[in-house]
Amino acid sequence: MSMTTTTSGARDRVLIFDTTLRDGEQCPGATMTLDEKLAVAELLDTMGVDIIEAGFPIASNGDFEAVAEIARRSKRAVIAGLARAIPADIARAGEAVRHAQRGRIHTFVSTSPIHLAHQMRKSEDEVVEIILKTVAQARDLVEDVEWSAMDATRTGIDYLCRCVEAAIRAGATTINLPDTVGYATPSEYRAMFASVRERVPNADKAVFSVHCHNDLGLAVANTLAGLEGGARQVECTINGIGERAGNAALEEVVMAIRTRGDVMPFETGIESTLLTRASKLVSHATNFPVQFNKAIVGRNAFAHESGIHQDGMLKNAETYEIMTPASVGLAKTSLVMGKHSGRAAFRSKLGELGLQLTDNQFQDVFERFKALADRKKHVYDEDIEALVDENLATAHDRIRLVSLSVIAGTHGPQRATLKIMVDGRTITEEADGNGPVDAVFNAIHALVPHEAVLELYQVHAVTEGTDAQAEVSVRLKDGERSVTARGADPDTLVASAKAYLSALNKLSAAARRLHAQAI
Ligand code: KIV
Ligand code: ZN
């Protein structure tokens, strides 16, 4: 079944196409495991996302499996698989989305002169032929076919119209005109859609779609301008993750449309109270922290600090608040429980936070919660989320932290004694360093020799207070592959060791997958 947009009352329904699991996962270090992808897809489906782009099936067996499994489990959303304009890609995408109640093949080819000359090395006529053949092939496999003109915003309008006409003639039901390199301005992007829709004779047979990258910080502005130009599908990602500077952020587009309905006659089917949960889930799955001042879902998005603002807020929230925290699902951080809290209370807290665990996972997380409550006076929602993340991320780890002690202080060198377990075998090492973190990482290096380079080391406090858990993010790059991982603990050095070991586990899991694929 192909998708059309509808009008309810005076508002046009805008389709939300989420590409967190494809364009989002494509950014360096954002790799997610199958379980993480399934959890994200389930929440997107529940939230009312119309189309979930679940991956790029030809890219790897892992990608194929993820798209196929998400397709099997999808309840409401259309599940899309990406394919280059290559017959084998399209066949693989068709196979992956076959089990979806509603599957879509999303195929793309470059159209700009610079891509044609240097990347494709094809003439304009040759590319039009490719479009006709590949879109027709996709249409033979599924009824719902999206075609994208890669680098549309740097393509001459005459040639762009010719390509769009050909794609629709060959059976495309959605036409996406991406600002692939984040170069367009809002007025240019609006005009491109208006012009293509006016000039292409069969334009009324397809839904037009926007897809904006954020290189100049204009992704959301361009997205909204594209809607003004007549597009009715928005491609976006949770937290705006994606290639380079990212994609348009789903939560920003949805809340802009909702909050400024007075100037934008649109509506989406998104349940906005799930936006905060989706942001946290994606941040945890990718290990990409959300910047504090990020619109809608940043930690400070609803925090009022200055005296004048606080005074206004106390008198009437509308003085400084254009949307309520509740409308994006932001509950006030609540004090949870302490060391006397029992299993039933803990289980009900997990339910409240939307965290689902198997019995084994529950047992493990509950024990860790008890251990934390022994060391920390107040255990907050964020602490529990960090425990659950850690449990999910480390369930299949080969390398585990057993113990760590560090001598630190003004008189260096600092010294770490580290005990870890690798495939069930315990090994110990002592190492010096230029500072305690360096000493810990040197000890890890000695125990698990590797070539990966540390690209990022970041610490932040999960909650407030001097006994807050530290959450450390570590990004390691090994050749072409880079992974990000997190570790949390009231002791910053222990959190650092956990994060580094978790990144090594991720690298080793990825290497094993590649090895299995090669065999
Ligand atoms: O940015 C882009 O052009 C893309 C296409 C694959 C749609 O992500
Ligand atoms: Zn993109």
Side-chain angles (χ1 to χ4, degrees):
M1 186 174 71
S2 65
M3 294 210 90
T4 48
T5 53
T6 53
T7 307
S8 85
R11 302 202 168 270
D12 270 10
R13 173 78 150 74
V14 169
L15 300 172
I16 297 293
F17 175 117
D18 180 278
T19 182
T20 306
L21 298 172
R22 200 277 298 170
D23 221 336
E25 215 230 359
Q26 224 163 286
C27 66
T31 321
M32 290 177 239
T33 64
L34 176 63
D35 286 345
E36 287 164 344
K37 287 183 187 181
L38 293 175
V40 170
E42 190 182 342
L43 183 54
L44 293 176
D45 203 359
T46 310
M47 223 166 92
V49 164
D50 299 285
I51 304 108
I52 299 172
E53 185 161 57
F56 192 0
I58 197 85
S60 69
N61 287 345
D63 253 52
F64 177 86
E65 283 310 326
V67 178
E69 193 52 35
I70 290 169
R72 274 185 216 108
R73 294 180 184 208
S74 60
K75 295 192 182 79
R76 294 196 296 192
V78 171
I79 304 301
L82 185 70
R84 289 167 299 182
I86 296 175
D89 274 41
I90 293 171
R92 194 80 172 136
E95 213 182 316
V97 300
R98 197 160 50 100
H99 297 290
Q101 297 190 23
R102 298 190 293 161
R104 172 181 294 191
I105 296 177
H106 174 196
T107 181
F108 68 97
V109 70
S110 290
T111 51
S112 67
I114 186 162
H115 281 212
L116 260 57
H118 300 287
Q119 200 179 8
M120 308 268 303
R121 303 219 167 94
K122 299 252 183 256
S123 70
E124 289 192 344
D125 288 349
E126 283 172 318
V127 169
V128 171
E129 276 309 305
I130 291 173
I131 295 169
L132 288 168
K133 283 203 186 106
T134 51
V135 171
Q137 181 198 351
R139 192 57 205 262
D140 279 346
L141 298 172
V142 288
E143 275 185 42
D144 187 344
V145 174
E146 172 168 336
W147 176 76
S148 287
M150 196 177 210
D151 207 14
T153 49
R154 294 192 299 169
T155 304
I157 194 76
D158 290 343
Y159 183 60
L160 186 61
C161 287
R162 194 175 151 207
C163 292
V164 169
E165 192 278 329
I168 298 175
R169 185 151 42 92
T173 43
T174 300
I175 297 292
N176 181 37
L177 302 180
D179 185 25
T180 304
V181 290
Y183 180 70
T185 64
S187 58
E188 286 171 344
Y189 203 53
R190 180 188 308 108
M192 180 186 73
F193 278 94
S195 169
V196 172
R197 288 182 63 248
E198 191 186 300
R199 291 171 54 173
V200 170
N202 50 5
D204 60 322
K205 304 219 162 26
V207 174
F208 279 77
S209 170
V210 295
H211 178 116
C212 299
H213 281 271
N214 206 27
D215 300 65
L216 294 173
L218 293 172
V220 172
N222 283 339
T223 296
L224 299 176
L227 294 179
E228 281 175 10
R232 289 294 177 267
Q233 175 181 287
V234 167
E235 304 201 355
C236 46
T237 59
I238 300 290
N239 296 337
I241 62 168
E243 283 274 356
R244 308 180 307 280
N247 291 56
L250 180 147
E251 60 278 6
E252 294 178 23
V253 174
V254 166
M255 290 313 285
I257 290 176
R258 197 185 131 130
T259 309
R260 295 310 311 274
D262 55 331
V263 289
M264 286 184 269
F266 309 123
E267 64 185 10
T268 72
I270 299 294
E271 175 51 61
S272 67
T273 55
L274 292 176
L275 290 173
T276 299
R277 207 163 116 197
S279 164
K280 285 188 178 174
L281 180 64
V282 169
S283 167
H284 291 149
T286 56
N287 293 299
F288 269 41
V290 176
Q291 83 195 47
F292 285 3
N293 59 334
K294 163 88 181 56
I296 316 296
V297 291
R299 181 186 277 200
N300 293 351
F302 291 90
H304 300 271
E305 189 69 34
S306 88
I308 296 179
H309 286 213
Q310 285 180 350
D311 177 59
M313 287 292 295
L314 289 172
K315 289 173 177 148
N316 179 344
E318 281 182 29
T319 48
Y320 291 97
E321 209 165 70
I322 57 167
M323 51 200 158
T324 62
S327 68
V328 302
L330 190 70
K332 258 202 146 343
T333 296
S334 56
L335 186 58
V336 199
M337 293 164 280
K339 57 182 173 185
H340 302 298
S341 308
R343 278 164 195 282
F346 189 66
R347 202 182 278 283
S348 118
K349 189 72 207 176
L350 290 177
E352 205 182 287
L353 294 172
L355 301 167
Q356 285 165 355
L357 299 181
T358 63
D359 286 346
N360 283 346
Q361 287 166 341
F362 176 83
Q363 183 56 33
D364 189 37
V365 174
F366 184 67
E367 277 165 22
R368 291 189 199 202
F369 157 70
K370 283 291 196 188
L372 182 66
D374 264 341
R375 297 168 70 189
K376 195 171 181 292
K377 202 162 144 211
H378 302 311
V379 180
Y380 295 90
D381 290 357
E382 289 88 336
D383 289 315
I384 294 187
E385 284 167 345
L387 287 180
V388 171
D389 287 345
E390 196 169 285
N391 175 276
L392 296 181
T394 58
H396 304 290
D397 281 358
R398 292 177 55 211
I399 315 168
R400 288 166 185 277
L401 175 71
V402 178
S403 66
L404 172 71
S405 56
V406 181
I407 301 170
T410 46
H411 301 294
Q414 285 70 25
R415 167 155 282 247
T417 308
L418 176 72
K419 191 187 278 186
I420 60 172
M421 202 187 276
V422 183
D423 293 332
R425 197 167 63 90
T426 305
I427 42 179
T428 309
E429 180 68 51
E430 281 189 8
D432 289 345
N434 188 10
V437 176
D438 194 42
V440 172
F441 288 180
N442 286 342
I444 294 178
H445 221 285
L447 290 171
V448 189
H450 56 274
E451 299 296 317
V453 183
L454 180 67
E455 279 197 325
L456 171 126
Y457 171 78
Q458 224 170 45
V459 186
H460 86 264
V462 174
T463 56
E464 279 152 30
T466 49
D467 68 347
Q469 287 202 89
E471 191 165 66
V472 173
S473 302
V474 158
R475 185 154 80 222
L476 292 183
K477 187 164 175 27
D478 189 14
E480 286 302 294
R481 195 175 313 121
S482 78
V483 296
T484 316
R486 284 205 271 212
D489 197 272
D491 183 316
T492 310
L493 297 171
V494 174
S496 304
K498 283 182 178 174
Y500 200 108
L501 292 176
S502 176
L504 285 178
N505 277 306
K506 274 195 163 186
L507 276 177
S508 122
R512 278 204 308 278
R513 267 200 309 277
L514 271 186
H515 182 61
Q517 240 170 274
I519 291 170

